[in-house]
Amino acid sequence: MGVEGTIEYISDLLSSVKKKKKKKMDCDGCARKMKGVLSSVKGAKSVDVDLKQQKVTVTGFVEPKKVLAAAKATKKKVEIWPYVPYNIVSNPYVSQAYDKKAPPNHVRAIPATATVTESTMDDRYTNMFSDENPNACSIM
């Protein structure tokens, strides 16, 4: 086994130690495993798995951190679902809420501070044509 064989052997060993990527849910077995793990979380009433959207919905009185920790135990890629129905968000057309990857009728969940603000310039133009302003312009 000369020097070349030894180097090749060590190279093979090092390449097999590479970091493994976390897998997605791609089969019914993965879905059953995820459903079993998450249904055992205290307070979970139901667990729905959607393989097409790669989404698991846990309903009940559960803490998000505990659900996330239990889901990470399956060694799958896990994150909190960032999208909400657009009719729940007060300003769904704000640039921070728009996301191309969002499913239909959903936008990214944004904090309430990310709203459209009205400037003083808009107020001046509004008052210019107001009926309550005696110095207002009128268009006929």
Side-chain angles (χ1 to χ4, degrees), residues 83 89 91-103 106-110:
Y83 306 114
V89 179
N91 293 312
Y93 302 108
V94 175
S95 62
Q96 296 96 346
Y98 179 74
D99 189 357
K100 289 182 182 179
K101 296 178 185 176
H106 284 75
V107 293
R108 187 169 286 280
I110 57 170

Side-chain angles (χ1 to χ4, degrees), residues 118-133 136-137:
E118 186 178 17
S119 67
T120 57
M121 185 69 85
D122 295 334
D123 277 342
R124 278 194 291 169
Y125 290 129
T126 306
N127 291 336
M128 188 182 295
F129 296 101
S130 173
D131 289 336
E132 296 171 0
N133 184 0
C137 298

Side-chain angles (χ1 to χ4, degrees), residues 45-113:
K45 288 190 176 184
S46 68
V47 178
D48 297 321
V49 179
D50 186 357
L51 285 175
K52 185 177 179 183
Q53 288 188 345
Q54 297 287 310
K55 175 182 168 184
V56 178
T57 306
V58 179
T59 54
F61 296 104
V62 293
E63 292 181 29
K65 289 182 181 179
K66 288 185 179 180
V67 172
L68 207 57
K72 284 182 181 178
T74 62
K75 298 183 179 165
K76 301 289 181 196
K77 183 180 177 187
V78 178
E79 65 181 342
I80 299 290
W81 185 254
Y83 306 114
V84 294
Y86 75 94
N87 56 359
I88 292 177
V89 179
S90 59
N91 293 312
Y93 302 108
V94 175
S95 62
Q96 296 96 346
Y98 179 74
D99 189 357
K100 289 182 182 179
K101 296 178 185 176
N105 299 325
H106 284 75
V107 293
R108 187 169 286 280
I110 57 170
T113 58

Side-chain angles (χ1 to χ4, degrees), residues 1-11:
M1 183 170 162
V3 175
E4 291 177 9
T6 306
I7 293 174
E8 191 175 313
Y9 175 74
I10 292 173
S11 174

